Amino acid sequence: MAQKFSFPRFRPDGTGASGRAANWAVIGIFMIMAFAAIAAGRDFLMPVTLAVLLFFVFTPLRRLARRRGVPDALTATIVTLGLVIAVALIGLGASGPVSQAAQNLPTIKTRLEQKFSELRESFEEIQQAAQEIEQVQAPDDEGQPAPIKVEEVSDSTLTSLMKFTPAIAGQVVFTLFLLFFMLASGDLLYLKIVQSFDSMAEKRGAYLALRQIEDSLGNYLGAITIINAGLGLAVGLAMFAWGMPGAILFGISAFILNFIPYLGAIVGVITSGLVALVVMPGVFWPMMVAGTYMFLTSLEGQVITPYFVSRRLQMNTVVVFLAVALWAWLWSVIGMIIAVPVLVVLRVLAEYVPGWEKFGNFLAGEEPPAIEDEDEEEARDIVEAGAGAEDESAARHVTAEVVEDAGKP
């Protein structure tokens, strides 16, 4: 007999299980409204969130500089100017290849048409077979296979980028100014947060949580930035070795795109393959170029990053993918970049906020942190026992034995 479960039933007096159902209803409504507010206010919330994350990253540097006698305002100025210079150098390095690509749009259009024409001729036999099958299924239909259409490459994309450039620049400026004021204020933000708690133990816990957020974000973003820089260098050199145009742009793109888990690598592989399809003959060599990009990103994702990033900071891959998709829906590209840092912050908070232990356990990777009760051990016993079962009936039998053994004194 299968074990049954049901939703809480509403009682006429409004007590008991109906209260739990009402609570879940309120939570559901709150989440819907919260997501709507986050999506609607992204022009303001995106730079604020990014500035707060950068504040946690650079606060240890500010604290170190203060111990060396450097004022907080001077450290904030150096950090802000450093970020401006870094962004300017990236933009300067990418401006040349981007400008050249914009000037070569007619040539790219012509080559794409030629390449798709060659591909259409290569697959002529397959099209002929498909046409014969279609004629057999519908003998009265004398329609020809639809030709492959090549959309014109226009300057609409560049026009859109020029349209949104002022808004993006404004958000960048707002982020940098907010970061400057937060760093220049020293420990004022920490002081206000700690003051909002009552007991001394809660104040200490809040301060330790803030410090751990600093360490976790700094370690994660520091390691990821260095790894991505190495990946960008490797991709740039590989594209140069293949004779691809704009090897510098490929390296910069790989560095930036790799901050987006999974999707960034996919975009890079597709882009490199399409560009190679334009500049190289045939299909084999473009596939080799795309395969080289895929090999480098796979090596980084499967070997290098797990080795250098602390296991404590590794996340549940399913949760990471869903978080990237969710933040992409809410905040587009910036949302995909900040998705994992936000998960890192939530995982740290789960270790300090009462009742969030299981949530932190859910966010963790293959080796989640131990929960201070029997739930984790019991769950592991059931899952490990059921993993060896061939079907649902066998799983019911072996898990029943686990439950019986756990109930014995």
Side-chain angles (χ1 to χ4, degrees):
M1 179 67 69
Q3 295 181 351
K4 303 293 185 179
F5 65 93
S6 61
F7 290 102
R9 298 178 179 178
F10 290 91
R11 295 181 180 178
D13 57 359
T15 61
S18 62
R20 294 194 298 272
N23 290 337
W24 279 111
V26 172
I27 293 173
I29 295 173
F30 171 78
M31 292 182 64
I32 294 174
M33 295 180 66
F35 282 128
I38 292 173
R42 67 177 186 174
D43 292 338
F44 172 76
L45 294 177
M46 277 195 303
V48 170
T49 304
L50 189 57
V52 171
L53 292 175
L54 292 175
F55 167 75
F56 281 117
V57 171
F58 289 108
T59 291
L61 178 62
R62 175 195 59 78
R63 193 176 293 114
L64 176 63
R66 173 185 283 185
R67 291 197 296 267
R68 300 295 187 272
V70 180
D72 293 335
L74 179 58
T75 304
T77 302
I78 295 174
V79 169
T80 306
L81 290 179
L83 291 176
V84 171
I85 294 173
V87 173
L89 290 177
I90 292 175
L92 181 62
S95 61
V98 170
S99 177
Q100 184 177 2
Q103 294 176 358
N104 294 333
L105 281 177
T107 304
I108 294 174
K109 172 181 175 295
T110 302
R111 290 186 177 180
L112 278 175
E113 291 176 346
Q114 295 175 352
K115 185 65 65 171
F116 280 111
S117 177
E118 295 174 359
L119 290 175
R120 185 168 61 248
E121 294 177 357
S122 301
F123 291 100
E124 184 178 2
E125 295 181 359
I126 298 177
Q127 293 178 355
Q128 183 66 28
Q131 182 180 1
E132 293 176 357
I133 294 174
E134 183 179 355
Q135 290 176 353
V136 170
Q137 293 177 347
D140 296 336
D141 187 5
E142 298 181 355
Q144 299 295 325
I148 299 177
K149 297 182 179 180
V150 179
E151 298 182 357
E152 292 189 5
V153 180
S154 63
D155 59 347
S156 59
T157 303
L158 297 177
T159 303
S160 301
L161 290 176
M162 294 297 294
K163 178 181 178 181
F164 290 105
T165 296
I168 296 174
Q171 291 183 352
V172 171
V173 171
F174 178 71
T175 301
L176 293 176
F177 269 102
L178 180 58
L179 175 62
F180 170 80
F181 288 121
M182 293 177 70
L183 290 175
S185 63
D187 292 326
L188 179 62
L189 179 61
Y190 282 22
L191 180 62
K192 296 300 181 181
I193 293 176
V194 173
Q195 285 178 346
S196 62
F197 292 87
D198 297 328
S199 66
M200 182 62 70
E202 292 176 345
K203 295 178 187 294
R204 179 176 179 270
Y207 180 73
L208 293 179
L210 294 173
R211 293 300 296 264
Q212 188 168 338
I213 290 175
E214 286 180 15
D215 295 341
S216 299
L217 275 180
N219 294 335
Y220 174 78
L221 291 179
I224 291 298
T225 301
I226 295 174
I227 292 172
N228 290 354
L231 176 65
L233 179 61
V235 169
L237 292 176
M239 296 299 107
F240 177 79
W242 279 114
M244 294 282 288
I248 296 178
L249 182 59
F250 274 104
I252 295 175
S253 300
F255 169 74
I256 297 175
L257 288 174
N258 210 51
F259 282 100
I260 304 174
Y262 311 124
L263 299 180
I266 295 174
V267 171
V269 171
I270 294 175
T271 303
S272 62
L274 290 177
V275 174
L277 197 64
V278 173
V279 301
M280 290 184 172
V283 180
F284 175 76
W285 296 113
M287 291 180 61
M288 292 296 294
V289 172
T292 301
Y293 196 111
M294 180 181 296
F295 170 75
L296 292 175
T297 55
S298 300
L299 180 65
E300 174 272 327
Q302 301 299 324
V303 178
I304 298 177
T305 296
Y307 180 80
F308 286 99
V309 175
S310 173
R311 184 172 296 274
R312 185 175 174 276
L313 297 177
Q314 293 178 17
M315 297 289 174
N316 186 329
T317 55
V318 176
V319 174
V320 170
F321 183 82
L322 291 177
V324 171
L326 173 63
W327 285 104
W329 173 59
L330 292 173
W331 288 356
S332 186
V333 177
I334 298 296
M336 291 187 286
I337 293 176
I338 69 170
V340 177
V342 169
L343 286 180
V344 172
V345 174
L346 291 177
R347 184 173 174 185
V348 172
L349 292 178
E351 298 179 9
Y352 289 88
V353 178
W356 282 30
E357 294 86 356
K358 295 181 180 180
F359 176 65
N361 187 53
F362 181 73
L363 295 179
E366 296 180 357
E367 296 295 335
I371 299 178
E372 296 180 357
D373 55 31
E374 299 178 355
D375 290 343
E376 181 186 13
E377 184 178 355
E378 294 173 351
R380 286 184 182 275
D381 292 340
I382 292 177
V383 173
E384 291 175 358
E390 296 181 356
D391 52 24
E392 186 271 341
S393 177
R396 181 183 297 121
H397 176 71
V398 296
T399 53
E401 293 179 353
V402 173
V403 174
E404 291 178 359
D405 293 339
K408 294 179 180 179

PDB file of all heavy atoms in Angstrom, residues 21 25 48 55 61 93 107 126 143 184 192 258 267 273 289 293 297 301 318 325 338 342 348 373 386 404 406:
ATOM      1  N   ALA A  21      -1.961  26.680   5.540  1.00  0.00           N
ATOM      2  CA  ALA A  21      -2.285  26.945   4.138  1.00  0.00           C
ATOM      3  C   ALA A  21      -2.358  28.449   3.870  1.00  0.00           C
ATOM      4  O   ALA A  21      -1.908  28.926   2.828  1.00  0.00           O
ATOM      5  CB  ALA A  21      -3.608  26.269   3.766  1.00  0.00           C
ATOM      6  N   ALA A  25      -0.167  30.694   1.301  1.00  0.00           N
ATOM      7  CA  ALA A  25      -0.795  31.578   0.316  1.00  0.00           C
ATOM      8  C   ALA A  25      -0.205  32.980   0.397  1.00  0.00           C
ATOM      9  O   ALA A  25       0.093  33.605  -0.629  1.00  0.00           O
ATOM     10  CB  ALA A  25      -2.306  31.617   0.539  1.00  0.00           C
ATOM     11  N   VAL A  48      22.623  49.080  -7.655  1.00  0.00           N
ATOM     12  CA  VAL A  48      22.728  49.002  -6.200  1.00  0.00           C
ATOM     13  C   VAL A  48      23.256  47.629  -5.777  1.00  0.00           C
ATOM     14  O   VAL A  48      24.168  47.520  -4.940  1.00  0.00           O
ATOM     15  CB  VAL A  48      21.362  49.288  -5.544  1.00  0.00           C
ATOM     16  CG1 VAL A  48      21.401  48.981  -4.052  1.00  0.00           C
ATOM     17  CG2 VAL A  48      20.960  50.736  -5.765  1.00  0.00           C
ATOM     18  N   PHE A  55      31.262  46.181  -2.793  1.00  0.00           N
ATOM     19  CA  PHE A  55      31.623  46.699  -1.473  1.00  0.00           C
ATOM     20  C   PHE A  55      32.143  45.580  -0.582  1.00  0.00           C
ATOM     21  O   PHE A  55      33.169  45.733   0.096  1.00  0.00           O
ATOM     22  CB  PHE A  55      30.413  47.383  -0.845  1.00  0.00           C
ATOM     23  CG  PHE A  55      30.571  47.680   0.613  1.00  0.00           C
ATOM     24  CD1 PHE A  55      31.380  48.723   1.043  1.00  0.00           C
ATOM     25  CD2 PHE A  55      29.905  46.925   1.570  1.00  0.00           C
ATOM     26  CE1 PHE A  55      31.532  48.996   2.397  1.00  0.00           C
ATOM     27  CE2 PHE A  55      30.050  47.186   2.915  1.00  0.00           C
ATOM     28  CZ  PHE A  55      30.873  48.227   3.329  1.00  0.00           C
ATOM     29  N   LEU A  61      40.225  44.982   1.519  1.00  0.00           N
ATOM     30  CA  LEU A  61      41.317  45.832   1.050  1.00  0.00           C
ATOM     31  C   LEU A  61      41.293  47.182   1.759  1.00  0.00           C
ATOM     32  O   LEU A  61      42.341  47.703   2.158  1.00  0.00           O
ATOM     33  CB  LEU A  61      41.214  46.015  -0.460  1.00  0.00           C
ATOM     34  CG  LEU A  61      42.259  46.931  -1.101  1.00  0.00           C
ATOM     35  CD1 LEU A  61      43.665  46.366  -0.901  1.00  0.00           C
ATOM     36  CD2 LEU A  61      41.961  47.112  -2.587  1.00  0.00           C
ATOM     37  N   GLY A  93      40.419  47.817 -25.790  1.00  0.00           N
ATOM     38  CA  GLY A  93      40.867  46.623 -26.490  1.00  0.00           C
ATOM     39  C   GLY A  93      39.820  46.045 -27.415  1.00  0.00           C
ATOM     40  O   GLY A  93      40.151  45.469 -28.455  1.00  0.00           O
ATOM     41  N   THR A 107      30.515  42.707 -46.268  1.00  0.00           N
ATOM     42  CA  THR A 107      31.318  41.533 -46.632  1.00  0.00           C
ATOM     43  C   THR A 107      30.869  40.299 -45.867  1.00  0.00           C
ATOM     44  O   THR A 107      30.791  39.190 -46.421  1.00  0.00           O
ATOM     45  CB  THR A 107      32.800  41.812 -46.351  1.00  0.00           C
ATOM     46  OG1 THR A 107      33.205  42.993 -47.045  1.00  0.00           O
ATOM     47  CG2 THR A 107      33.666  40.643 -46.792  1.00  0.00           C
ATOM     48  N   ILE A 126      20.018  15.225 -49.297  1.00  0.00           N
ATOM     49  CA  ILE A 126      19.077  15.088 -48.179  1.00  0.00           C
ATOM     50  C   ILE A 126      17.785  15.824 -48.472  1.00  0.00           C
ATOM     51  O   ILE A 126      16.675  15.328 -48.199  1.00  0.00           O
ATOM     52  CB  ILE A 126      19.726  15.613 -46.888  1.00  0.00           C
ATOM     53  CG1 ILE A 126      20.969  14.789 -46.559  1.00  0.00           C
ATOM     54  CG2 ILE A 126      18.740  15.571 -45.726  1.00  0.00           C
ATOM     55  CD1 ILE A 126      21.718  15.276 -45.330  1.00  0.00           C
ATOM     56  N   GLY A 143       4.798  21.300 -54.241  1.00  0.00           N
ATOM     57  CA  GLY A 143       5.618  22.393 -53.723  1.00  0.00           C
ATOM     58  C   GLY A 143       7.069  21.980 -53.590  1.00  0.00           C
ATOM     59  O   GLY A 143       7.383  20.826 -53.329  1.00  0.00           O
ATOM     60  N   ALA A 184      34.109  54.800   1.302  1.00  0.00           N
ATOM     61  CA  ALA A 184      34.610  55.969   2.020  1.00  0.00           C
ATOM     62  C   ALA A 184      33.979  56.111   3.396  1.00  0.00           C
ATOM     63  O   ALA A 184      34.573  56.741   4.292  1.00  0.00           O
ATOM     64  CB  ALA A 184      34.356  57.239   1.200  1.00  0.00           C
ATOM     65  N   LYS A 192      25.618  50.103  11.457  1.00  0.00           N
ATOM     66  CA  LYS A 192      24.167  50.252  11.434  1.00  0.00           C
ATOM     67  C   LYS A 192      23.473  48.899  11.403  1.00  0.00           C
ATOM     68  O   LYS A 192      22.424  48.704  12.033  1.00  0.00           O
ATOM     69  CB  LYS A 192      23.753  51.086  10.216  1.00  0.00           C
ATOM     70  CG  LYS A 192      24.260  52.524  10.246  1.00  0.00           C
ATOM     71  CD  LYS A 192      23.747  53.267  11.470  1.00  0.00           C
ATOM     72  CE  LYS A 192      24.237  54.703  11.490  1.00  0.00           C
ATOM     73  NZ  LYS A 192      23.770  55.445  12.695  1.00  0.00           N
ATOM     74  N   ASN A 258      32.576  34.143 -19.325  1.00  0.00           N
ATOM     75  CA  ASN A 258      32.740  33.037 -18.398  1.00  0.00           C
ATOM     76  C   ASN A 258      32.278  33.374 -16.981  1.00  0.00           C
ATOM     77  O   ASN A 258      32.218  32.494 -16.127  1.00  0.00           O
ATOM     78  CB  ASN A 258      34.204  32.589 -18.361  1.00  0.00           C
ATOM     79  CG  ASN A 258      34.342  31.126 -18.043  1.00  0.00           C
ATOM     80  OD1 ASN A 258      33.700  30.283 -18.675  1.00  0.00           O
ATOM     81  ND2 ASN A 258      35.165  30.789 -17.060  1.00  0.00           N
ATOM     82  N   VAL A 267      27.425  30.520 -25.535  1.00  0.00           N
ATOM     83  CA  VAL A 267      27.438  31.674 -26.435  1.00  0.00           C
ATOM     84  C   VAL A 267      28.802  31.812 -27.104  1.00  0.00           C
ATOM     85  O   VAL A 267      28.896  32.095 -28.310  1.00  0.00           O
ATOM     86  CB  VAL A 267      27.075  32.953 -25.660  1.00  0.00           C
ATOM     87  CG1 VAL A 267      27.295  34.194 -26.520  1.00  0.00           C
ATOM     88  CG2 VAL A 267      25.636  32.898 -25.186  1.00  0.00           C
ATOM     89  N   GLY A 273      32.119  29.581 -33.718  1.00  0.00           N
ATOM     90  CA  GLY A 273      31.779  28.748 -34.866  1.00  0.00           C
ATOM     91  C   GLY A 273      31.205  29.549 -36.022  1.00  0.00           C
ATOM     92  O   GLY A 273      31.541  29.305 -37.189  1.00  0.00           O
ATOM     93  N   VAL A 289      37.376  24.996 -34.880  1.00  0.00           N
ATOM     94  CA  VAL A 289      37.510  26.222 -34.085  1.00  0.00           C
ATOM     95  C   VAL A 289      36.530  26.204 -32.921  1.00  0.00           C
ATOM     96  O   VAL A 289      36.890  26.474 -31.761  1.00  0.00           O
ATOM     97  CB  VAL A 289      37.292  27.458 -34.972  1.00  0.00           C
ATOM     98  CG1 VAL A 289      37.235  28.724 -34.123  1.00  0.00           C
ATOM     99  CG2 VAL A 289      38.406  27.576 -36.005  1.00  0.00           C
ATOM    100  N   TYR A 293      37.291  26.018 -28.732  1.00  0.00           N
ATOM    101  CA  TYR A 293      36.688  26.864 -27.695  1.00  0.00           C
ATOM    102  C   TYR A 293      35.977  26.001 -26.655  1.00  0.00           C
ATOM    103  O   TYR A 293      36.098  26.230 -25.437  1.00  0.00           O
ATOM    104  CB  TYR A 293      35.709  27.849 -28.349  1.00  0.00           C
ATOM    105  CG  TYR A 293      35.314  29.004 -27.479  1.00  0.00           C
ATOM    106  CD1 TYR A 293      35.733  30.292 -27.768  1.00  0.00           C
ATOM    107  CD2 TYR A 293      34.493  28.833 -26.365  1.00  0.00           C
ATOM    108  CE1 TYR A 293      35.373  31.371 -26.959  1.00  0.00           C
ATOM    109  CE2 TYR A 293      34.125  29.888 -25.561  1.00  0.00           C
ATOM    110  CZ  TYR A 293      34.562  31.155 -25.868  1.00  0.00           C
ATOM    111  OH  TYR A 293      34.201  32.211 -25.074  1.00  0.00           O
ATOM    112  N   THR A 297      36.874  25.753 -22.553  1.00  0.00           N
ATOM    113  CA  THR A 297      35.879  26.058 -21.523  1.00  0.00           C
ATOM    114  C   THR A 297      35.539  24.829 -20.700  1.00  0.00           C
ATOM    115  O   THR A 297      35.305  24.927 -19.487  1.00  0.00           O
ATOM    116  CB  THR A 297      34.607  26.633 -22.160  1.00  0.00           C
ATOM    117  OG1 THR A 297      34.123  25.721 -23.165  1.00  0.00           O
ATOM    118  CG2 THR A 297      34.879  27.980 -22.796  1.00  0.00           C
ATOM    119  N   GLY A 301      35.937  24.507 -16.747  1.00  0.00           N
ATOM    120  CA  GLY A 301      34.782  24.240 -15.895  1.00  0.00           C
ATOM    121  C   GLY A 301      34.849  22.932 -15.139  1.00  0.00           C
ATOM    122  O   GLY A 301      34.349  22.839 -14.014  1.00  0.00           O
ATOM    123  N   VAL A 318      22.187  22.351 -10.371  1.00  0.00           N
ATOM    124  CA  VAL A 318      20.819  22.618 -10.807  1.00  0.00           C
ATOM    125  C   VAL A 318      20.349  23.970 -10.290  1.00  0.00           C
ATOM    126  O   VAL A 318      19.735  24.757 -11.018  1.00  0.00           O
ATOM    127  CB  VAL A 318      19.876  21.492 -10.330  1.00  0.00           C
ATOM    128  CG1 VAL A 318      18.436  21.806 -10.703  1.00  0.00           C
ATOM    129  CG2 VAL A 318      20.298  20.157 -10.911  1.00  0.00           C
ATOM    130  N   ALA A 325      19.082  31.381 -15.001  1.00  0.00           N
ATOM    131  CA  ALA A 325      17.917  31.590 -15.856  1.00  0.00           C
ATOM    132  C   ALA A 325      16.947  32.594 -15.239  1.00  0.00           C
ATOM    133  O   ALA A 325      16.398  33.461 -15.934  1.00  0.00           O
ATOM    134  CB  ALA A 325      17.213  30.253 -16.101  1.00  0.00           C
ATOM    135  N   ILE A 338      25.507  38.323 -11.775  1.00  0.00           N
ATOM    136  CA  ILE A 338      25.445  38.396 -10.316  1.00  0.00           C
ATOM    137  C   ILE A 338      24.730  37.206  -9.699  1.00  0.00           C
ATOM    138  O   ILE A 338      24.651  37.116  -8.472  1.00  0.00           O
ATOM    139  CB  ILE A 338      24.736  39.693  -9.863  1.00  0.00           C
ATOM    140  CG1 ILE A 338      23.244  39.624 -10.213  1.00  0.00           C
ATOM    141  CG2 ILE A 338      25.389  40.919 -10.449  1.00  0.00           C
ATOM    142  CD1 ILE A 338      22.427  40.729  -9.606  1.00  0.00           C
ATOM    143  N   VAL A 342      25.185  36.194  -5.668  1.00  0.00           N
ATOM    144  CA  VAL A 342      24.018  36.285  -4.783  1.00  0.00           C
ATOM    145  C   VAL A 342      23.782  34.954  -4.080  1.00  0.00           C
ATOM    146  O   VAL A 342      23.448  34.914  -2.882  1.00  0.00           O
ATOM    147  CB  VAL A 342      22.771  36.714  -5.588  1.00  0.00           C
ATOM    148  CG1 VAL A 342      21.506  36.558  -4.750  1.00  0.00           C
ATOM    149  CG2 VAL A 342      22.902  38.171  -6.038  1.00  0.00           C
ATOM    150  N   VAL A 348      25.929  31.855   2.772  1.00  0.00           N
ATOM    151  CA  VAL A 348      26.558  32.307   4.017  1.00  0.00           C
ATOM    152  C   VAL A 348      25.491  32.677   5.038  1.00  0.00           C
ATOM    153  O   VAL A 348      25.575  32.306   6.221  1.00  0.00           O
ATOM    154  CB  VAL A 348      27.493  33.496   3.741  1.00  0.00           C
ATOM    155  CG1 VAL A 348      27.986  34.087   5.049  1.00  0.00           C
ATOM    156  CG2 VAL A 348      28.673  33.047   2.885  1.00  0.00           C
ATOM    157  N   ASP A 373      21.281  18.358  13.138  1.00  0.00           N
ATOM    158  CA  ASP A 373      20.205  17.508  13.629  1.00  0.00           C
ATOM    159  C   ASP A 373      20.293  16.184  12.876  1.00  0.00           C
ATOM    160  O   ASP A 373      21.239  15.927  12.142  1.00  0.00           O
ATOM    161  CB  ASP A 373      18.827  18.174  13.462  1.00  0.00           C
ATOM    162  CG  ASP A 373      18.565  18.600  12.023  1.00  0.00           C
ATOM    163  OD1 ASP A 373      19.080  17.925  11.113  1.00  0.00           O
ATOM    164  OD2 ASP A 373      17.853  19.589  11.818  1.00  0.00           O
ATOM    165  N   GLY A 386      17.986   3.351  -1.150  1.00  0.00           N
ATOM    166  CA  GLY A 386      17.132   3.260  -2.334  1.00  0.00           C
ATOM    167  C   GLY A 386      17.888   3.329  -3.639  1.00  0.00           C
ATOM    168  O   GLY A 386      17.359   2.918  -4.688  1.00  0.00           O
ATOM    169  N   GLU A 404      12.573   1.004   9.802  1.00  0.00           N
ATOM    170  CA  GLU A 404      12.415   0.103  10.951  1.00  0.00           C
ATOM    171  C   GLU A 404      13.677   0.086  11.801  1.00  0.00           C
ATOM    172  O   GLU A 404      13.608   0.100  13.042  1.00  0.00           O
ATOM    173  CB  GLU A 404      12.096  -1.313  10.443  1.00  0.00           C
ATOM    174  CG  GLU A 404      10.726  -1.424   9.812  1.00  0.00           C
ATOM    175  CD  GLU A 404      10.462  -2.835   9.286  1.00  0.00           C
ATOM    176  OE1 GLU A 404      11.385  -3.676   9.425  1.00  0.00           O
ATOM    177  OE2 GLU A 404       9.375  -3.071   8.748  1.00  0.00           O
ATOM    178  N   ALA A 406      15.847   2.467  12.081  1.00  0.00           N
ATOM    179  CA  ALA A 406      15.980   3.749  12.774  1.00  0.00           C
ATOM    180  C   ALA A 406      15.056   3.839  13.963  1.00  0.00           C
ATOM    181  O   ALA A 406      15.350   4.521  14.942  1.00  0.00           O
ATOM    182  CB  ALA A 406      15.699   4.898  11.797  1.00  0.00           C
TER     183      ALA A 406
END
